[in-house]
Every structure is written in C-alpha cells, then in structure tokens.
Amino acid sequence: MSAHTSRRQRLRQATLEEIHTAARKLLVEQGSAAVTINAVARQVGMSGPALYHYYASHDELVGAVTADFFRELAAAMEQARDGHADASLGERILAVCRAMRAWSTAHPAEFGWIFASPITPHNRRPDSVRHQAALRFEQVLLDLMVELWRTRPFPVPDLADLPASLREQLTAYSATLDGRLPPEAAHVFLSCWTRLYGLLCMEVLHQLDFAYTDMEPVYEQCLRDLAATLGLDSHAPA
Amino acid sequence: MSAHTSRRQRLRQATLEEIHTAARKLLVEQGSAAVTINAVARQVGMSGPALYHYYASHDELVGAVTADFFRELAAAMEQARDGHADASLGERILAVCRAMRAWSTAHPAEFGWIFASPITPHNRRPDSVRHQAALRFEQVLLDLMVELWRTRPFPVPDLADLPASLREQLTAYSATLDGRLPPEAAHVFLSCWTRLYGLLCMEVLHQLDFAYTDMEPVYEQCLRDLAATLGLDSHAPA
DNA sequence: CTAGATTTCTTAGAGGCACTAAGGAAACAT
DNA sequence: ATGTTTCCTTAGTGCCTCTAAGAAATCTAG
C-alpha cells in the first residue's frame, strides 16, 4: 500500500526484467521453441523450478513476454504519432502505419511470436496482460481514425448497401466504441485495419515469398490505396 | 520399377494412411500440441520408435500431414471450379474463393495448422511435399486469373506509376509465370490474393474477434470489392 | 525349399521438457 | 528474538524426441 518500494520488491522487479530479457534473447537467437522454462532459468542463472515463483506456468511467461512486445510496438507507433504532432492528421496516420511495419521488420522474431504463436486459453482472457497490451496496440490507429472522422469525415458506404448481418455486427462494434465511430465509419476503419494488418501478417508468415523479396514497396502501395480510400491525398491538410 | 505393388508396399501405404488419420484426429480433437510422435504411434497401435520407419522426424510427419491439408484444400477449390464449368469465368472465380473459405471454416484446426504452424527448415525446401502441395493450392486461383486475363483483361495500373523496386519484383515474378501475366496484371493478381488470403489468415488467427463474430459477410464484402476491381460485376459473361 | 537379406517392430535408454513436492536459508515483520 | 514470508534448491513424475540393439516376420535368390 505504501508508495515506498521495498528492497524485496525492487529485487523481484529486477529479476523479472532479467527473465524477460533472457526469454527474448532465446527467442531471437534460437526461435520460439527455445523459450522454455528451463532454458530461461538457466540463462538467468537459477534452476528451473525457481522460475515458478515468478510465473505460474509456461503460458503465463509467454503471455508476459508477448505483452512486452505489444507494448513496445504500441510505443513505437505512439512515438511516431507524437513525433509528427505538427504534421497533418493524414501524415500522422501514415507515419504510424510505417512505424508499425518498421518495428515489425526490425524485430521479426518478436513480431512473428505475437501473431503466429497460438493464443492459449489463459492469454485469451480479457484481463490478461497480453490482451490489455494488444488493446493498447489496436487503440493507436483507432484513436487517429476517430480524430480523422471528427475533423474531416472520410467517405463511407451507405449502410443500406451492406448485408444485414454485417450491419448488425458493425452496429455492435460501434457501440463498444461509445459511438465515436458510426457503424459505416467503423466498417471503413476495419477494412483499412484488415488490409494493413493482414499484409504484415502474411509478410511475417512468409506467405508471399513466392512473389516478393522486399515487401516495403508493397506496403507503401497499400498505404497509398488506403490514403485514397480515406481521402488523405487531397492536398488540404486534415 | 514394376507396376505391381507388392504386399509390403500395400501394407506400408495403408499404415501411412492410418498414421495421417491418427495425426489429424489428434489435431482436431486436442490441438496441434497433441500431435506428437508418441501419441500418434499410440493411436495407431504401435510403440513410439516404430513410427520412425515411416517418418524420419517429427518435422517430416508434420510436413506430410500439412501437405495433405493443402491438397484437400486445393481439391476443394478445383472441385468448385470444375463444378461450375458452364458458368461464367467470373462466377467460377468467386466459387473458387468461396470454396477456399468454406473448407477453412469447415476445418478450422487444419487451416490453422497450415498457416500458423511455423515452417521448419526441412519443410521450407522447395522439393518438400509441403511446398509442392502449397504450390498446387496457389495455382488454382492463379490459373483462373491467367484465363481471365487472356479472355477478358481486367483493368491494370500503369507500370510507370509503380515504384521502381516494386516494378522489378513484379517483372521477376511475371517471368516465373512464363509471361502468362505481364507485371502489371501480376500486381493485380497479387493484390487480390493478398486481400483474400490475408483476411482468411486473420480470421483463423482470431485477430478480428474484437470486432466481428461472423466473418462470412465480411468475406463476401471483400469478394464484391475484388469483383469490382476485376470488372466481374458487369453483366456480360466473361 | 531353404538361407540370407530386408523390413518392421519391440524394449531400453539418453537427454530435455513442464511441473510438483519438500525442505533449507535468507530477509522481513512484529 | 521469533515466527512468517520469500526465494531457491534438489528429487521426482510423466511426458516428449530420437538412437541403439535385437527379435520376428517377410521377401528374395540360389
């Protein structure tokens, strides 16, 4: 309860950081299969079972490290956003999207871990650290899109043109956003998100290797398409 | 060399099938982690090490089963194509895309296994069964797009409008297709492929659960977009 | 038809994994 | 100073992949 952090708490915190560092090192150098409780413990200089005083299970360790990666990714995107605070909203959105890919290509192992590792039941719980960090990540672009919608609404399809079941889902999702985006704007946001995120996902999972050796211009082309969709390319600053 | 299959060969073939069936059963009922050499062997009724007479390693077994799934998926798509032989090419393309998702939603465990399981070095080799089966899968839609391009060319961007590095990659890829699609048409094909496949990938990896509970109308909406891109929605049959 | 080679399977075992149990030692709180 | 909490140890269970050595069944060739 006290603001004072005891010696024990400080030591524990330091050990936790050491554990995360060791796990990440193993992931980057030897792949996700090498991130075992035993190997991590060896790396930090304690014997296997000792690690259970920090995480109750292998799943929990994985979730904690994954949350770290999400937070780092989100922070990179937030930094890009804040670093272009004086630029137009459109440029800020593009900068954030580029930061998203930049982090992923600079940290392919971590990025692959985030997406390709199956989400265990424990980490699917909405109150898990992993889930919370994933939300923060998703939030960055969502917030910008909300602001864009407020200040300079982008073109949206007519709700009546969408099939009923899609309309219902969009309405429900819009409600979870406290109506900050109406359903048809949520549809546009989700379309953009899907294309960006899907493209990154496929790059990481090497599903496009048969055609592309360098995905950077492919991603840039995708960004140009999205900018057009959102009306960002007209020269008036948003 | 003889066309005659010996008794031993027949027995071996039957055992191989039994192994694949057992592995798939374990995957579907207990998840990918349950597909171990030992568990599969138990299921088939032999002891662990015996399975090494059929596959040299766990990786190889995984690759063989994955190839099965790819082949089944490709077959489902080919069947949709051939089952609509009298329909317009546009309808055939849409039928194939729907078959692709239909198989995936009917077999979520298998589909997830295909994409989310990391491709081990052994299975990355171009001569691996996995790779071969993956090629056949990709080929189905590519062939239809080639035919579409031949009979009713779809709109393409001007190559000069694409960045140089993208142009080079598209040219190289076009060459691997023996020029059946020029670079700018290959770009359109790859864009469509990326959006379809990326959407499925995200559905399988549950990356859109925060917004959608039923992806079917989302996929249909994506198909409508692609149809428009390819000029399939004009009523003249392609 | 029989003797050797091949294939298929067994058990035994090495080394690693996640995780539990039981206990010692240090740090802390009272 | 005493009792509690925390941290870490070793020992052990049962799983895993994969190797080794050998038995039994099957095929092949003289």
Side-chain angles (χ1 to χ4, degrees):
Chain A
M1 264 293 110
S2 70
H4 161 259
T5 59
S6 73
R7 171 180 154 74
R8 264 207 181 139
Q9 283 172 320
R10 268 178 290 122
L11 279 180
R12 186 180 181 83
Q13 204 53 45
T15 308
L16 280 171
E17 273 171 37
E18 209 179 337
I19 288 171
H20 288 210
T21 305
R24 184 170 190 168
K25 182 181 162 75
L26 285 166
L27 168 67
V28 170
E29 293 180 358
Q30 297 173 240
S32 64
V35 185
T36 67
I37 293 275
N38 284 334
V40 170
R42 258 196 308 277
Q43 191 84 25
V44 301
M46 56 172 88
S47 263
L51 221 140
Y52 285 88
H53 282 271
Y54 298 93
Y55 291 106
S57 68
H58 183 249
D59 276 5
E60 211 172 275
L61 170 62
V62 167
V65 175
T66 309
D68 274 356
F69 297 160
F70 265 121
R71 276 190 286 262
E72 197 174 297
L73 172 53
M77 292 165 69
E78 287 162 359
Q79 193 183 336
R81 176 194 62 195
D82 301 338
H84 295 72
D86 50 349
S88 74
L89 183 51
E91 282 168 29
R92 249 152 62 213
I93 289 176
L94 292 179
V96 164
C97 293
R98 289 193 182 100
M100 176 165 147
R101 182 169 178 277
W103 188 89
S104 88
T105 54
H107 305 90
E110 291 89 336
F111 198 80
W113 171 284
I114 284 181
F115 297 104
S117 72
I119 309 176
T120 59
H122 169 267
N123 286 310
R124 219 190 312 275
R125 285 170 35 212
D127 59 332
S128 68
V129 264
R130 186 198 193 279
H131 194 88
Q132 293 301 316
L135 280 183
R136 174 177 157 199
F137 159 59
E138 288 152 10
Q139 202 74 15
V140 182
L141 219 111
L142 175 60
D143 283 347
L144 287 170
M145 289 286 282
V146 167
E147 191 179 341
L148 181 64
W149 177 252
R150 255 194 325 114
T151 59
R152 184 190 238 252
F154 40 84
V156 292
D158 194 334
L159 255 192
D161 291 342
L162 300 176
S165 76
L166 183 55
R167 217 157 49 216
E168 286 163 23
Q169 293 184 70
L170 290 171
T171 305
Y173 177 58
S174 169
T176 71
L177 302 179
D178 301 320
R180 285 183 295 160
L181 287 183
E184 58 270 34
H187 175 68
V188 173
F189 163 63
L190 288 170
S191 299
C192 295
W193 179 250
T194 301
R195 287 181 62 176
L196 275 176
Y197 200 49
L199 192 57
L200 273 180
C201 185
M202 296 186 68
E203 177 176 4
V204 167
L205 298 185
H206 292 103
Q207 299 289 349
L208 293 172
D209 286 1
F210 69 96
Y212 295 120
T213 56
D214 171 20
M215 292 286 291
E216 195 268 340
V218 181
Y219 196 78
E220 282 298 320
Q221 188 62 38
C222 180
L223 286 184
R224 264 189 293 277
D225 284 358
L226 295 187
T229 302
L230 296 176
L232 297 182
D233 47 356
S234 43
H235 278 177
Chain B
M1 266 292 112
S2 71
H4 161 258
T5 60
S6 74
R7 169 180 155 75
R8 263 204 183 143
Q9 284 172 318
R10 267 178 291 122
L11 279 180
R12 187 180 181 84
Q13 203 53 46
T15 307
L16 280 171
E17 274 171 34
E18 210 179 335
I19 288 171
H20 287 210
T21 305
R24 184 170 190 168
K25 181 181 162 75
L26 284 166
L27 168 66
V28 170
E29 294 180 358
Q30 297 173 240
S32 64
V35 186
T36 67
I37 294 272
N38 283 335
V40 170
R42 256 196 309 275
Q43 191 87 25
V44 182
M46 56 171 89
S47 263
L51 222 140
Y52 285 87
H53 282 270
Y54 297 92
Y55 292 106
S57 69
H58 183 249
D59 276 5
E60 209 173 276
L61 169 61
V62 167
V65 175
T66 309
D68 274 357
F69 297 160
F70 265 121
R71 274 191 288 263
E72 197 175 296
L73 172 53
M77 292 164 70
E78 286 162 359
Q79 194 182 335
R81 177 193 63 196
D82 301 337
H84 296 72
D86 49 349
S88 74
L89 182 53
E91 283 168 29
R92 249 151 65 212
I93 289 176
L94 292 179
V96 164
C97 294
R98 289 193 182 100
M100 176 164 149
R101 182 169 178 276
W103 188 91
S104 88
T105 54
H107 305 90
E110 291 89 336
F111 199 79
W113 171 283
I114 284 182
F115 297 104
S117 72
I119 309 177
T120 60
H122 169 266
N123 287 310
R124 220 189 312 274
R125 286 169 37 210
D127 59 333
S128 69
V129 264
R130 187 197 192 282
H131 194 87
Q132 292 303 316
L135 280 183
R136 173 175 157 201
F137 159 59
E138 289 153 9
Q139 202 74 16
V140 182
L141 217 104
L142 175 60
D143 282 348
L144 287 170
M145 291 285 283
V146 167
E147 191 180 341
L148 181 65
W149 177 253
R150 255 196 323 115
T151 60
R152 183 190 239 254
F154 40 84
V156 293
D158 194 335
L159 255 192
D161 292 342
L162 300 177
S165 75
L166 183 55
R167 218 158 50 216
E168 285 164 22
Q169 294 185 70
L170 290 171
T171 306
Y173 177 58
S174 170
T176 71
L177 302 179
D178 302 321
R180 286 184 295 161
L181 288 183
E184 58 272 32
H187 175 67
V188 173
F189 162 64
L190 287 170
S191 299
C192 294
W193 179 250
T194 300
R195 287 181 61 177
L196 275 176
Y197 200 50
L199 193 56
L200 273 180
C201 185
M202 296 186 69
E203 178 177 3
V204 167
L205 297 184
H206 293 103
Q207 300 288 351
L208 293 173
D209 286 1
F210 69 96
Y212 295 120
T213 55
D214 171 21
M215 293 286 291
E216 194 268 340
V218 182
Y219 195 78
E220 282 299 319
Q221 189 62 39
C222 180
L223 286 185
R224 265 189 292 277
D225 285 357
L226 295 188
T229 302
L230 296 176
L232 298 182
D233 48 356
S234 44
H235 278 178

